[in-house]
């Protein structure tokens, strides 16, 4: 937890495997930006493996410090009592905490 999949002197590396690549990219970018922010790296390399077609897509660019700071601000606001952004409804259906979760109950 809290460790990139790879790290060099120049960049952080994040790898994801998914059935829904279009959904995972924002998560992967935020995670790589946070790693770059905390480990003081200027670049990030992200690779996403699609289980649907067996392809790996690679993105390499500058760490977005604004995205990292925005992610940290949103997390801090939840810690202080703000409501978190709800996950996809399908995740709620499988969650072990759904019976006591106000987000799940509000969706019913």
């Amino acid at each position: 937890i809290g460790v990139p999949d790879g790290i060099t002197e120049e960049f952080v590396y994040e790898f994801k495997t998914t059935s829904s690549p279009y959904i995972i990219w924002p998560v992967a970018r935020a995670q790589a930006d946070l790693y770059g922010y905390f480990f003081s790296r200027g670049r990030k390399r992200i690779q996403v493996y699609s289980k649907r077609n067996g392809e790996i897509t690679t993105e390499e660019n500058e760490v977005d410090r604004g995205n990292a700071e925005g992610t940290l601000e949103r997390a801090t606001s939840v810690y202080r009592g703000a409501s978190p952004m709800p996950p996809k409804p399908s995740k709620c259906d499988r969650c072990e905490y759904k019976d006591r979760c106000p987000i799940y109950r509000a969706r019913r």
Side-chain angles (χ1 to χ4, degrees), residues 26-44:
V27 173
R29 287 182 187 116
Q31 198 168 349
D33 287 333
L34 285 167
Y35 291 144
Y37 182 88
F38 285 119
F39 290 101
S40 300
R41 299 302 190 271
R43 297 191 60 77
K44 63 187 174 194

Side-chain angles (χ1 to χ4, degrees), residues 12-94:
V12 291
Y13 173 71
E14 184 59 24
F15 185 86
K16 298 283 188 204
T17 299
T18 184
S19 296
S20 303
Y22 64 96
I23 293 174
I24 202 70
W25 276 104
V27 173
R29 287 182 187 116
Q31 198 168 349
D33 287 333
L34 285 167
Y35 291 144
Y37 182 88
F38 285 119
F39 290 101
S40 300
R41 299 302 190 271
R43 297 191 60 77
K44 63 187 174 194
R45 180 178 296 162
I46 303 165
Q47 291 188 308
V48 173
Y49 171 73
S50 171
K51 292 192 274 185
R52 287 188 180 167
N53 61 19
E55 293 180 4
I56 295 176
T57 305
T58 303
E59 178 179 290
E60 184 173 341
N61 48 34
E62 297 296 314
V63 167
D64 184 343
R65 291 183 58 85
N67 187 35
E69 291 169 355
T71 300
L72 290 170
E73 285 176 26
R74 287 187 299 280
T76 300
S77 71
V78 170
Y79 178 74
R80 292 184 177 146
S83 294
M85 183 172 56
K88 297 184 317 180
S90 61
K91 288 195 175 228
C92 288
D93 293 337
R94 298 185 303 247

